Amino acid sequence: MGKGVAVVTGAGSGVGRAAALALLNDGWSVGLAGRRSDVLEETASMATAGTPLVVPTDVTMPEEVENLFATVTETFGRLDTLFNNAGGGAPSTNFGEVTYDTWLRVVEVNLNGMFLCANAAYRTMRDQSPQGGRIINNGSLSAHAPRPGSAPYTTTKHAITGLTKCIALDGRAHNIVCAQIDIGNAATPMTARMAGGVPQPNGTVVSEPTMDAANVGDTILLMANMDLSANMQSVMVMSSQMPFLGRG
């Protein structure tokens, strides 16, 4: 069985793929979740160790999330770690022009979808024997400071911080720990859309440096391999040259 059993959502690209590969190559069994089976299969084919299990899943659909965790536990016997990663944003839009449809679309994935996955993982970890596990929620640097024109995304990421703390607190009774990783400018398809520059607080548009997403995978692996008696409650991993520390 290897070192443990994990589920990674959004495992078909970006930091989800990097985290899934880090876990697999360390000998974990990993349920790969995402909407597109082809890119999930591609992630699975890139692993040099471990046991991948492709489970196409739309995290905004409760029945598909339930199927994901049922399939993983039926296949591997338990669940040790969830990297609750699936999410997305919207084009930079001044708050006055944000439509309700855009708001709902971002909230549905970034907040509702993350709730559904965390809740299903929590119940799985609570009810298994031996009890317990680790949930790692993907926040963002936007959980700390927004970019201009990012109200829906930033609001959901601030909400994830509250969700993480509540799960960590309630989980103590069941040996479930919950942490948050806040990632800045990993080189992924999402940041590739920022190649033309990113709006800054002073009204300028500036091209920002990125880091290899493998750094995020290494961090997730470090967190996942910790004993449940310890938790890296909050971690920030970002490109060392990005302007985040000087915002404002």
Side-chain angles (χ1 to χ4, degrees), residues 9-10 33-36 40 55-68 86 108-109 112-113 116-117:
T9 64
R35 286 178 295 182
R36 292 176 49 194
L40 296 176
V55 189
T57 306
D58 182 340
V59 299
T60 68
M61 304 297 290
E63 64 276 11
E64 293 193 26
V65 172
E66 291 298 320
N67 174 71
L68 166 63
E108 185 175 39
V109 178
N112 297 347
L116 288 171
C117 291

Side-chain angles (χ1 to χ4, degrees), residues 136-225:
I136 304 169
N137 291 327
N138 187 352
S140 168
L141 297 191
S142 293
H144 301 270
R147 293 186 184 279
S150 66
Y153 183 81
T154 296
T155 301
T156 59
K157 293 307 184 178
H158 275 66
I160 292 306
T161 300
L163 178 67
T164 299
K165 291 176 180 178
C166 287
I167 296 169
L169 191 58
D170 289 357
R172 290 176 178 175
H174 309 294
N175 202 28
I176 298 169
V177 299
C178 187
Q180 180 168 322
I181 183 169
D182 297 318
I183 302 163
N185 286 13
T188 67
M190 183 179 292
T191 56
R193 296 196 296 267
M194 298 159 42
V198 184
Q200 303 296 313
N202 65 357
T204 61
V205 175
V206 176
S207 179
E208 294 187 0
T210 60
M211 64 175 177
D212 192 321
N215 291 294
V216 179
D218 292 342
T219 307
I220 294 296
L221 181 62
L222 173 66
M223 299 168 80
N225 278 333

